């Protein structure tokens, strides 16, 4: 398969290729058999970064790098689904922070991942391209399946989680996240969801929740599954009723699901945000204990070092809110700026569960507070197959709701990613791919009616 890299004949949002428009028509009005009979376009539009642009931001500090310069909508060749794979017509996708990392080429460009994957040979070799189609969430319709796929057929309405594993090593047989060939689809593999078509392993597919529109259904997969493993799973903190759970970034992608999972467990979220608007949004979800870190002037990292005085002030503030109690669990992801405070404020025997380091990978904490108070730090990454399925089941039953705040057309994907990079968003930022407008794809209006307000909660923000 050669690499064509021309701009799409037309971007999403303007007149598109006839085949693509036909496809949308067939998905919207046709039967599954019609979808299976519809010809697969030879190429499709995808949001890509380019291998020959990885030096684009050299010398530019990461916070100042603008994804609108590095993300391009390009026409790329459609890959044939290999054994155990599926080609999906993507109705909608979502921005994740990994798309920010890819688009600003930090901490490294993602082409090294693709080259390494391709070295496996066979079908994996297709992933090494001079372009990387990004995106680790989707909601859409199965267009074709490869050999050996039995559960899924053309026409099935699906969402995809982002765990790509080979499962050839016993290391991953108990917990698929421990597979040595574990990759995040659309970040460490090619052909991601921010596109008109996407290639996934069929094991990534899960039923699309019928009460949600395409863009709502695409919003949750990555962050909801990650928060589920961190907080609920036995691989994470296994929160229980009454636990105090400190949640950084409670109105952000991960945090907005962590708040819901904590409340569902009968535990008590202690929510940290950075504006009155976010504080209000979280309070309106039922969280009573909220700290606005900006309004209260918390600065845990100053002049290149942590500030233990701020940890103590923060711990005192938490006790003021809880009536003297410390967090049983800290939901960590900001990293360098907050980690010292997280270790300090966790209660004796408490757990700090971390999945990221947005503000810096090298963490500084005072180890005396860890060992003498018998705390533990748990590393967590996405979710295994089973956890991702269980997390999606909660969405499908209306027990966890998408926190979509806005949806951009695919043509504006750079602006969508920039909003997340600049921390201007709340909840999740969606991207309409083949979906011609918002609000389409609902097949269970009754369940939707029961949860309409909660589904729209972040929209009103
Ligand atoms: P997000 O939507 O941008 O939310 C992150 C939140 O962090 C923001 O809403 C912000 O809230 C808070 N924050 C930012 N800077 C902060 C600071 N200096 N101190 C305290 N809080 C700060 O991103 P996300 O989707 O939740 O992802 C967060 C991180 O987790 C990213 O690094 C991402 O790559 C990582 N992640 C990892 C996995 C995994 O599987 N390992 C999965 C998902 C995400 P306020 O400004 O309101 O405080």
């Amino acid at each position: 398969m050669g690499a064509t890299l021309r701009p799409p004949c037309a971007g999403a949002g303007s007149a598109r290729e006839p085949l693509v428009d036909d496809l949308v028509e067939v998905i919207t009005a046709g039967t599954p058999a019609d979808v299976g009979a519809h010809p697969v376009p030879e190429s499709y539009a995808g949001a890509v970064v380019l291998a020959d642009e990885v030096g684009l931001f050299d010398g530019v500090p990461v916070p100042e790098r603008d994804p609108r310069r590095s993300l391009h909508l390009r026409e790329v060749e459609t890959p044939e689904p290999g054994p155990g794979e599926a080609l999906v017509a993507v109705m909608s996708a979502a921005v994740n922070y990994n798309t920010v990392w890819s688009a600003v080429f930090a901490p490294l460009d993602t082409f090294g991942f693709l080259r390494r994957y391709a070295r496996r040979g066979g079908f994996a070799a297709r992933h090494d391209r001079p372009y990387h189609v990004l995106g680790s969430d989707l909601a859409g319709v199965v267009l074709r399946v490869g050999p050996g796929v039995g559960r899924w057929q053309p026409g099935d309405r699906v969402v995809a989680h982002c765990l790509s594993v080979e499962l050839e090593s016993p290391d991953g047989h108990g917990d698929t996240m421990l597979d040595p060939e574990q990759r995040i689809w659309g970040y460490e593999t090619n052909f991601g969801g921010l596109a008109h078509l996407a290639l996934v392993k069929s094991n990534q597919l899960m039923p699309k929740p019928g009460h949600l529109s395409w863009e709502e259904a695409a919003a949750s997969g990555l962050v909801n599954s990650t928060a589920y493993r961190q907080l609920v799973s036995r691989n994470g903190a296994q929160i229980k009723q009454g636990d105090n759970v400190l949640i950084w970034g409670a109105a952000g992608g991960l945090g907005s699901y962590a708040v819901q999972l904590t409340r569902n467990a009968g535990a008590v979220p202690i929510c940290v945000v950075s504006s009155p608007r976010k504080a209000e949004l979280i309070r309106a979800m039922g969280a009573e204990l909220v700290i606005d870190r900006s309004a209260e002037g918390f600065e845990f990292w100053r002049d290149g070092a942590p500030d233990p005085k701020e940890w103590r002030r923060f711990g005192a503030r938490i006790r003021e809110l809880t009536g003297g109690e410390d967090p049983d669990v800290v939901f960590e992801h900001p990293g360098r700026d907050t980690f010292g405070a997280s270790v300090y404020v966790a209660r004796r025997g408490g757990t700090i569960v971390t999945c990221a380091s947005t503000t810096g990978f090298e963490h500084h904490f005072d180890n005396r507070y860890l060992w003498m108070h018998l705390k533990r730090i748990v590393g967590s990454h996405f979710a295994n197959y089973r956890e991702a399925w269980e997390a999606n089941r909660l969405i499908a039953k209306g027990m966890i709701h998408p926190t979509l705040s806005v949806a951009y057309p695919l043509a504006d994907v750079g602006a969508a990613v920039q909003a997340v990079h600049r921390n201007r968003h709340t909840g999740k930022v969606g991207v309409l791919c083949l979906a011609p407008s918002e609000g389409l794809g609902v097949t269970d209006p009754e369940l939707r009616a029961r949860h309409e307000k909660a589904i729209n909660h972040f929209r009103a923000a």
Side-chain angles (χ1 to χ4, degrees):
M1 183 177 69
T4 57
L5 257 194
R6 53 188 197 281
C9 355
S14 53
R16 296 185 292 201
E17 287 177 90
L19 207 54
V20 168
D21 278 341
D22 283 356
L23 182 57
V24 175
E25 178 68 26
V26 168
I27 287 170
T28 318
T31 64
D34 295 334
V35 175
H38 190 273
V40 173
E42 283 177 11
S43 65
Y44 65 100
V48 300
V49 286
L50 301 172
D52 61 10
E53 288 189 355
V54 295
L56 184 69
F57 298 124
D58 284 356
V60 180
V62 171
E64 289 164 34
R65 299 181 182 185
D66 188 339
R68 289 171 295 189
R69 290 182 57 205
S70 54
L71 275 172
H72 310 281
L73 199 58
R74 290 294 156 88
E75 196 77 8
V76 301
E77 273 191 50
T78 305
E80 180 88 9
E85 292 183 336
L87 189 66
V88 181
V90 184
M91 299 304 278
S92 205
V95 176
N96 282 294
Y97 214 94
N98 66 9
T99 310
V100 175
W101 297 124
S102 303
V104 300
F105 304 118
L108 24 87
D109 73 77
T110 45
F111 289 94
F113 298 137
L114 304 185
R115 283 193 292 274
R116 211 166 310 136
Y117 189 23
R119 284 204 287 272
R120 284 181 59 80
F123 283 91
R126 293 168 303 169
H127 289 256
D128 182 12
R129 309 252 126 223
Y131 54 85
H132 187 179
V133 186
L134 305 176
S136 301
D137 270 315
L138 69 72
V141 172
V142 174
L143 205 50
R144 291 289 188 278
V145 294
V149 177
R151 181 177 180 129
W152 303 99
Q153 332 273 333
D156 286 346
R157 291 169 164 234
V158 292
V159 291
H161 69 67
C162 64
L163 174 58
S164 167
V165 279
E166 306 303 324
L167 289 182
E168 289 178 328
S169 159
D171 291 354
H173 290 174
D175 175 0
T176 45
M177 278 308 292
L178 297 182
D179 191 291
E181 296 283 332
Q182 177 269 317
R183 293 179 175 82
I184 298 297
W185 159 71
Y187 179 66
E188 293 164 298
T189 78
N190 217 325
F191 314 119
L194 290 164
H196 285 166
L197 302 182
L199 185 72
V200 297
K201 290 187 187 294
S202 66
N203 289 348
Q204 291 174 240
L205 298 176
M206 305 183 291
K208 172 194 168 287
H211 65 300
L212 300 177
S213 67
W214 295 112
E215 64 281 6
E216 291 160 355
S220 306
L222 188 148
V223 284
N224 183 41
S225 309
T226 305
Y228 182 87
R229 181 176 174 112
Q230 278 185 272
L231 291 178
V232 181
S233 163
R234 62 172 169 262
N235 293 310
Q238 271 194 295
I239 55 172
K240 62 179 190 316
Q241 53 187 308
D243 278 355
N244 290 316
V245 182
L246 177 70
I247 301 171
W248 293 102
L254 283 170
S256 55
Y257 290 85
V259 172
Q260 297 184 67
L261 291 164
T262 299
R263 283 174 47 73
N264 281 4
V268 182
I270 305 163
C271 300
V272 188
V273 295
S274 65
S275 72
R277 181 175 70 112
K278 289 182 180 178
E280 195 40 51
L281 192 60
I282 290 302
R283 281 204 179 89
M285 287 171 82
E288 289 168 9
L289 312 184
V290 181
I291 298 174
D292 179 340
R293 65 183 174 96
S294 297
E296 300 190 26
F298 283 111
E299 214 179 333
F300 304 102
W301 186 266
R302 239 196 291 259
D303 303 328
D307 184 350
K309 279 205 298 298
E310 285 294 83
W311 303 349
R312 290 192 281 277
R313 185 164 78 90
F314 189 57
R317 180 73 179 106
I318 291 170
R319 286 184 177 178
E320 199 176 289
L321 289 174
T322 58
E325 295 177 344
D326 296 325
D328 299 273
V329 173
V330 182
F331 183 80
E332 241 300 331
H333 52 88
R336 189 199 64 182
D337 285 11
T338 56
F339 203 80
S342 293
V343 171
Y344 176 80
V345 300
R347 76 155 173 81
R348 277 175 184 265
T351 302
I352 300 98
V353 58
T354 174
C355 75
S357 293
T358 315
T359 61
F361 301 103
E362 292 189 2
H363 296 183
H364 298 251
F365 62 90
D366 186 332
N367 200 33
R368 291 169 297 177
Y369 296 113
L370 189 80
W371 102 69
M372 293 188 70
H373 293 176
L374 301 109
K375 305 178 188 184
R376 61 188 187 120
I377 296 171
V378 176
S380 193
H381 187 39
F382 187 58
N384 64 32
Y385 277 177
R386 183 69 201 174
E387 290 158 344
W389 188 278
E390 285 168 6
N392 185 56
R393 177 173 166 270
L394 295 178
I395 303 270
K397 292 178 84 72
M399 295 173 71
I400 295 282
H401 304 293
T403 61
L404 185 76
S405 57
V406 62
Y408 288 71
L410 184 60
D412 291 340
V413 65
V417 177
Q418 171 74 340
V420 175
H421 184 35
R422 288 268 178 256
N423 195 18
R424 282 199 224 105
H425 66 302
T426 56
K428 290 297 298 177
V429 171
V431 176
L432 297 180
C433 298
L434 287 173
S437 61
E438 296 181 37
L440 304 174
V442 175
T443 52
D444 186 348
E446 280 168 30
L447 184 59
R448 185 183 183 83
R450 294 221 299 275
H451 299 292
E452 187 84 47
K453 189 159 174 261
I455 294 166
N456 285 316
H457 185 72
F458 275 67
R459 291 297 199 133

